[in-house]
Amino acid sequence: MSHKDVTRQLAAWIVGCKLADIPASVQAEGVRTFFNWMGCAVGGARHETVDRALAGISPFAGKPQATVLGRGERLDVPNAALLNGISSHVLDYDDTHLKTIIHPAGPVASALLAAAEYQPMTGADFLNALIVGVEVECRIGNSVYPAHYDRGWHITGTTGVFGAAAAVGHMLKLDETQMTWALGIAATQASGLREMFGTMCKSLHPGAAARNGALAAFLAKAGFDSSLQAIEAPRGFANVLSTKQDYNEILGGLGETWEAGLNSYKPFACGIVIHPTIDGCQQLREELGDAVNSIAAVRLRTHPLVLELTGKRTPKTGLETKFSVFHAAACALLRGDGSPTAFTDEAANAPEIIALRDKVDATSDTAIHEASVVIEVEFADGRTIEKIIDRAIGSHDKPLSNEHLARKFAHQSALVVGDEVTERLMALCWRLPELTDAGEIARASVPAGLRDAAE
């Protein structure tokens, strides 16, 4: 594959991709992607992180053009995209492209829905642009993963900005040159550091990617130019931010094979590498009952990524617990919980969880698959039992059904906006391709009382 004109060739595909070009199965996955994202965004809308971000941004926000999902506030398009990107990721309950660990919908859907309130579009056109954006960010991610991630870049932030630019650019009907500029403007804003994991700043990454990607598209529409080789140039994105550059991952099979059809959805509200451990420990909780109170030791054999990403031994906050396999195992064994309530400040500091957490040990084993784990439990009387999870729920081999996604959505959303709003919102999301105005979904996320107060 030629190293020349990668950015321009990708831009040409973005501009030309029509919904009819996208297989029905990928379109269906696109609807699931959007549905899952909306549940997460509303579910996270009242998190302290969102409150603080809104407090910091509101004094400087522009015209009230777009909805902060699940709340009464309306902001300008870029800042609404930022806030909704933050809320959709803050619970770490969102989607995952398993080949790269990108969370695709956060940057793309957050930018696109905010823009769709400003410039109305049909649900079918929205779905087209969403899938294009997800495809772009995941293909760019494939081209630099794992070297880019291993260097310390949070790949959701760094590639999500391309996806957001592609999606909003598709909505704005940019021409090929403008789309190439938009990708370049996105490239020069690509950022997000893994050092931020376990802090509020992690969820800033998809939010900033959404905001910056939307701005890239609007700037390009206005004639603001950039390098035409922003991805592949010697001082461009791939060469500066990674030691691996496989451009065939971007252009090879483009429009024929679909990364957007490979998206997955989390059953547990934390880093996906912990999911096998939670799955196994929940099963043990069901089998053992009160015997979990007699556990003397828990030994985990995991893929090396588990300790690299989630090796926090003594998390002090809810956000930190999402990166502690030790906490996750203890909470699943004691409470049977892997939902957002398992990863709160209360859970982080609960004495019984801390006591069991200190009995959990983990070792890395390269023979263990990323979606697998071996759990050995030793009891006070010396007995041991073993639980092997070959493929965790939510993995490619055990994907979440639409029914499971609906339960997950309702469980998060109803706590924030109530049952009535939640039911209407879920129905609208499933009907996305049929809607005449996709922005209706954003407005429907706000309870009438909050909407009236804001007006």
Side-chain angles (χ1 to χ4, degrees), residues 196-453:
M196 303 303 161
F197 286 12
T199 74
M200 293 179 180
C201 216
K202 180 174 187 280
S203 59
L204 176 66
H205 298 160
R211 177 196 61 198
N212 295 342
L215 285 172
F218 282 112
L219 285 168
K221 182 71 172 179
F224 197 102
D225 73 2
S226 74
S227 165
L228 300 178
Q229 296 181 315
I231 295 173
E232 71 276 14
R235 289 177 291 276
F237 168 83
N239 285 291
V240 171
L241 272 64
S242 179
T243 56
K244 174 197 172 188
Q245 305 87 26
D246 185 351
Y247 301 116
N248 187 57
E249 291 281 5
I250 299 176
L251 300 178
L254 189 59
E256 298 172 0
T257 60
W258 293 87
E259 296 300 313
L262 302 177
N263 208 4
S264 69
Y265 312 97
K266 292 183 179 182
F268 309 121
C270 59
I272 198 163
V273 294
I274 311 179
H275 289 198
T277 295
I278 298 175
D279 192 356
C281 288
Q282 283 187 336
Q283 292 182 35
L284 285 167
R285 168 71 190 180
E286 288 292 319
E287 296 165 11
L288 295 173
D290 290 341
V292 296
N293 297 315
S294 301
I295 291 175
V298 179
R299 291 179 281 272
L300 311 173
R301 281 197 294 124
T302 69
H303 186 275
L305 267 178
V306 173
L307 287 178
E308 179 184 340
L309 297 177
T310 62
K312 291 184 181 294
R313 258 287 176 193
T314 56
K316 298 294 192 297
T317 68
L319 291 176
E320 286 185 346
T321 62
K322 293 174 181 293
F323 298 92
S324 173
V325 68
F326 310 102
H327 170 89
C331 195
L333 284 166
L334 286 176
R335 298 183 177 181
D337 195 5
S339 74
T341 55
F343 303 99
T344 61
D345 290 353
E346 178 278 325
N349 295 286
E352 71 278 10
I353 291 178
I354 292 173
L356 183 54
R357 184 188 74 197
D358 291 344
K359 298 176 184 178
V360 179
D361 194 19
T363 57
S364 296
D365 186 341
T366 56
I368 302 289
H369 188 274
E370 290 177 23
S372 306
V373 70
V374 177
I375 305 170
E376 183 183 61
V377 175
E378 181 179 340
F379 296 95
D381 61 6
R383 289 184 303 115
T384 62
I385 61 170
E386 185 177 80
K387 171 70 68 174
I388 298 174
I389 299 297
D390 182 53
R391 292 294 185 271
I393 183 173
S395 66
H396 279 314
D397 299 294
K398 293 184 177 180
L400 298 193
S401 66
N402 286 353
E403 292 74 18
H404 195 144
L405 286 179
R407 290 195 299 273
K408 173 183 171 182
F409 189 125
H411 185 262
Q412 299 178 83
S413 176
L415 295 173
V416 177
V417 297
D419 293 333
E420 185 177 344
V421 171
T422 295
E423 290 298 324
R424 171 167 165 71
L425 194 54
M426 289 196 297
L428 284 170
C429 289
W430 284 132
R431 291 178 47 234
L432 173 64
E434 307 164 20
L435 300 180
T436 57
D437 179 5
E440 177 186 358
I441 298 176
R443 295 183 289 276
S445 75
V446 181
L450 290 178
R451 195 162 57 241
D452 294 344

Side-chain angles (χ1 to χ4, degrees), residues 126-197:
F126 185 99
L127 181 61
N128 189 174
L130 176 75
I131 292 171
V132 165
V134 169
E135 190 69 19
V136 165
E137 69 180 318
C138 291
R139 282 177 169 268
I140 292 174
N142 286 344
S143 75
V144 295
Y145 186 85
H148 172 73
Y149 192 81
D150 290 345
R151 190 70 183 90
W153 294 106
H154 185 196
I155 196 167
T156 296
T158 56
T159 66
V161 68
F162 292 101
V168 177
H170 191 278
M171 182 200 83
L172 295 175
K173 302 187 187 309
L174 302 186
D175 62 29
E176 182 180 319
T177 297
Q178 291 172 325
M179 189 65 79
T180 306
W181 291 343
L183 293 175
I185 300 166
T188 205
Q189 300 180 90
S191 191
L193 303 174
R194 283 173 55 194
E195 173 61 24
M196 303 303 161
F197 286 12

Side-chain angles (χ1 to χ4, degrees), residues 48-121:
E48 178 189 12
T49 300
V50 180
D51 291 339
R52 293 190 179 191
L54 191 58
I57 290 165
S58 292
F60 314 104
K63 296 178 181 179
Q65 299 164 327
T67 304
V68 180
L69 299 173
R71 306 180 62 116
E73 297 90 351
R74 289 177 61 80
L75 303 175
D76 57 282
V77 168
N79 279 317
L82 170 66
L83 264 294
N84 292 334
I86 290 172
S87 70
S88 71
H89 189 60
V90 71
L91 297 180
D92 241 307
Y93 214 9
D94 44 355
D95 55 348
T96 307
H97 177 252
L98 293 173
K99 289 163 65 175
T100 57
I101 329 181
I102 292 170
H103 305 294
V108 177
S110 302
L112 188 58
L113 189 58
E117 286 199 84
Y118 174 67
Q119 182 171 309
M121 63 193 303

